[in-house]
Amino acid sequence: MSPIAYTAPPASGSLIAAPAGPRTASDIARPIDQELEGLQAEVDALRAELNALRRRDETLNFHMHRIDEELRLAARLQQDFLPKSLPEVGPVRFHTLFRPAGYVSGDLYDVMRLDEHRVGFYIADAVGHGMPAALLSMFLKQALLTKEILAGTYRLLAPSETLARLNQSLLAQHLSSATFATGLYGSIDTQSLTLTFARAGHPHPILFRADGRTETLQSDGGLLGVFDDEPYADQTVQLRPGDRLIAFTDGVEVAFGGCAVAPDTERWTHEIALLHDLPAEQILTRLATRIDQEGGSLDPKDDLTIVIAEVASAKC
């Protein structure tokens, strides 16, 4: 007979674990379901955030579209304030180039017939560009006076008096910010071909003589809207057939400054001198082409305006 094996009982206090039973399908599926629930919660949270971002973008697009439409309307309105056609008085003809840096411009110009044989023109540049400068330019247009109506007659104001009154009108507004402008106003007697002009901190106009000479016309006068009772001086120049007078804002000098922010007066003077022999209309065409070729022409730094008064050549 085989001996009987004896197994000692466990020590006092010790426990014997019951053998684990087989895992069921529900035991395996439970943690997977919990993980899927967590992932679904994250997906729902991301979807809610995405919907919130989409609503925000739609709101921003709505407001941006409305601002764009308002700016386009402002640009059309400003264009309506510019002369639709330029007067032709005697042998004097005018040509212009007007390019805002954005939708609207802080530059402004006008050419008006003063009487039977005299024509006036002005060009102004409000500080900065964009909507604030455009609003200031509209004020300048309305405040500028060229003649004084008397009982049964009128008196044409000298350019210096026109600028002095414009300066006082701007100061009288007591604007909250440091707002100023430059300007130039002149009148041409088309019978005597006498030009009289005054400037207020504006770039000096350039005169192309028919004989090939180039003159920079000088006149003293401070900025508009800075000093009370600022004196402005009239300058008189005798024009001749074939002469071309060029008035411009400093945005033209900035456009020829390349990457530099400051105006490049020397380069602009050189560029304009190369066009000396061309008629006024061709001068503007060539300048527009050169400006388009400059670096940053798609994002201009400043508004630019050019006004050319051309005296027709004498006919044989």
Side-chain angles (χ1 to χ4, degrees):
M1 177 180 291
S2 301
I4 299 174
Y6 173 78
T7 302
S12 177
S14 64
L15 297 176
I16 300 177
R23 297 183 64 190
T24 64
S26 60
D27 293 333
I28 297 173
R30 187 176 297 112
I32 296 177
D33 290 341
Q34 292 174 349
E35 186 174 352
L36 289 176
E37 289 176 1
L39 290 175
Q40 185 61 47
E42 291 182 12
V43 169
D44 292 341
L46 290 174
R47 183 177 290 113
E49 185 176 354
L50 181 62
N51 289 333
L53 290 173
R54 185 178 292 112
R55 289 193 298 271
R56 186 196 65 179
D57 289 345
E58 290 173 353
T59 302
L60 288 175
N61 287 334
F62 170 77
H63 288 293
M64 291 297 294
H65 178 73
R66 189 170 67 178
I67 292 173
D68 181 77
E69 287 298 314
E70 290 177 353
L71 288 173
R72 290 181 186 277
L73 179 59
R76 290 195 296 268
L77 184 61
Q78 186 178 50
Q79 290 284 343
D80 289 340
F81 277 97
L82 299 176
K84 302 296 187 298
S85 59
L86 302 176
E88 299 180 358
V89 185
V92 179
R93 302 289 183 270
F94 286 88
H95 307 269
T96 62
L97 176 64
F98 178 75
R99 286 196 174 187
Y103 285 95
V104 292
S105 174
D107 289 357
L108 186 69
Y109 74 90
D110 201 358
V111 181
M112 72 291 291
R113 185 165 189 157
L114 300 176
D115 59 17
E116 291 78 6
H117 60 89
R118 280 175 287 192
V119 59
F121 65 94
Y122 73 85
I123 183 169
D125 182 5
V127 60
H129 53 270
M131 189 59 69
L135 291 174
L136 181 59
S137 71
M138 291 298 97
F139 170 81
L140 295 175
K141 177 178 177 63
Q142 297 303 315
L144 186 134
L145 297 176
T146 60
K147 66 174 62 176
E148 191 176 60
I149 305 300
L150 305 173
T153 183
Y154 65 90
R155 179 179 71 89
L156 294 181
L157 302 183
S160 59
E161 185 177 357
T162 291
L163 292 184
R165 291 193 180 195
L166 183 58
N167 181 57
Q168 293 303 120
S169 296
L170 186 55
L171 287 169
Q173 299 304 307
H174 301 292
L175 300 177
S176 57
S177 59
T179 304
F180 58 87
T182 69
L184 181 144
Y185 173 65
S187 64
I188 299 175
D189 187 320
T190 61
Q191 290 184 343
S192 65
L193 294 183
T194 301
L195 163 69
T196 304
F197 77 98
R199 55 177 289 277
H202 202 78
H204 297 278
I206 297 173
L207 180 61
F208 284 168
R209 290 293 190 181
D211 60 8
R213 291 181 294 118
T214 299
E215 300 177 16
T216 300
L217 305 183
Q218 304 289 332
S219 178
D220 294 331
L223 296 168
L224 297 168
V226 178
F227 298 112
D228 194 20
D229 296 325
E230 174 74 25
Y232 299 97
D234 289 317
Q235 294 295 331
T236 300
V237 180
Q238 183 62 50
L239 302 178
R240 303 180 186 89
D243 288 352
R244 284 142 297 154
L245 175 72
I246 303 172
F248 54 93
T249 59
D250 62 1
V252 180
E253 298 172 332
V254 172
F256 283 98
C259 297
V261 177
D264 192 339
T265 304
E266 184 176 345
R267 185 179 176 194
W268 154 247
T269 303
H270 173 72
E271 291 286 344
I272 193 65
L274 296 176
L275 308 176
H276 182 280
D277 295 330
L278 297 178
E281 196 167 359
Q282 292 186 30
I283 290 176
L284 291 181
T285 301
R286 294 286 186 89
L287 286 176
T289 301
R290 289 290 294 111
I291 291 170
D292 291 339
Q293 295 171 348
E294 287 296 308
S297 61
L298 297 178
D299 185 21
K301 304 181 186 71
D302 199 2
D303 311 307
L304 65 87
T305 302
I306 303 174
V307 176
I308 299 181
E310 183 176 36
V311 182
S313 300
K315 296 181 180 181
C316 299

